Amino acid sequence: MNINENYTKLEESYLFSTVAKKVSEFAEKNPDKKIIKLGIGDVTLPLCSVVVDALHKAVDEMGVQATFRGYGPEQGYDFLREAVKNYYKTHNVELDMDEIFISDGAKSDLGNILDLFAGDNTVLVPDPVYPVYVDTNVMAGRKVIFANANQDNEFLPLPDESQKADIIYICSPNNPTGAVYNKEQLKKWVDYAKSMNAIILFDAAYECFISDDSLPKSIFEIEGAKDCAIEFCSLSKTAGFTGTRCGYTVVPKALGKLNKFWLRRQTTKFNGVPYIVQRGAAAVFSEEGQKEIKENINYYKENARVISDTLTKCGIWHVGGKHSPYIWLKCPNNMTSWDFFDYLLENIQVVGTPGAGFGKNGEGYFRLTSFGSKENTQEAMQRFEMLFGTK
Ligand code: MLT
């Protein structure tokens, strides 16, 4: 038996597991200290009421012979795919039902999609970015190259014709920097991908945070994207489904074999998202659901404003937080990301995510999330002001 030695090329633990371990060690040694977690992008507001009602109703259906359901369609029930299709229409994207695949979240599908691609493809990943893109390709032994994101390009790298790539990851609004591509910039990526016969894997997990109608929420708003892109989305951040688990992936039929292969992959390796969860997810797309989730998103956006205002007062350089739940800041006094992490934990017990965990260009930066409660966010920012003073 030979094991997959590619795993030895990974960091010993996943970024957010390392952060969680450090925090729990600190908590054990300092039981009297109140730790405020603005690290992992996990939501704190409960599911909205229409979703809860739909979940209850579905549970009841499952307890009655006439409405009980066993295995469902692996690609998702029609009622939810129809709701997703109609949601896309609101940003002028027409999809066919068999281009939409319901999943248990974007993270799983972003990893699973790699089943469709040969091992010798070169993968282009922005740096810094969500660590799952690099890790899942390292696990498969693929060559990974990077598109540098930095302050000079406002953390929005554009294609470099001299780089040859087969698989290209784009995350917009970006995790961790909060930067958002406009339509012209995304068109450049689409043209580049087509010129290379490459595929774009577009992570739209934070699209609901975009509040400027001119910014694209889906790569399929860009002409030609259906010929070269797969899109991943999730209800985790949109509707508080981090624990409930539901998302969707769009594989256009224009991609030829890939659409059929994905169906083949899913029907073989996946038994679908639970009926109960899909009913809850469908409620998110109802009129009332959309109204309720917007209130939650605005709550998080207000937290982002509080964080941003405090950082400004403290003279700390930062971006993000406008079309994204993440604020990306430069560590004061040229501290490294992990030094700053320890410094905040030791001194004010505020937890964030070290930028270095998102790639080498993240070194010296730090991410705060606006997904905390209003009270905790305000308290964390009062502690920031105490530590850094007002400039
Ligand atoms: C993050 O904090 O970057 C996200 O919560 C991670 C995820 O969505 O898996």
Side-chain angles (χ1 to χ4, degrees), residues 83-140:
V84 172
K85 180 178 150 84
N86 290 334
Y87 178 66
Y88 270 89
K89 267 191 200 156
T90 64
H91 27 277
N92 300 317
V93 175
E94 287 294 336
L95 296 177
D96 285 342
M97 291 279 277
D98 49 4
E99 296 178 307
I100 301 166
F101 297 81
I102 305 304
S103 72
D104 66 347
K107 179 179 174 178
S108 335
D109 271 12
L110 280 158
N112 294 337
I113 200 82
L114 296 174
D115 276 8
L116 306 194
F117 302 100
D120 58 357
N121 284 303
T122 299
V123 183
L124 178 63
V125 178
D127 173 359
V129 88
Y130 185 38
V132 168
Y133 312 156
V134 173
D135 287 2
T136 49
N137 280 290
V138 170
M139 286 170 183

Side-chain angles (χ1 to χ4, degrees), residues 14 16 39-42 107 130 175 206 237 326 358 367:
Y14 180 55
F16 296 104
I40 190 163
D42 196 2
K107 179 179 174 178
Y130 185 38
N175 178 10
Y206 300 94
K237 320 295 156 115
Y326 298 127
F358 298 98
R367 193 193 78 179

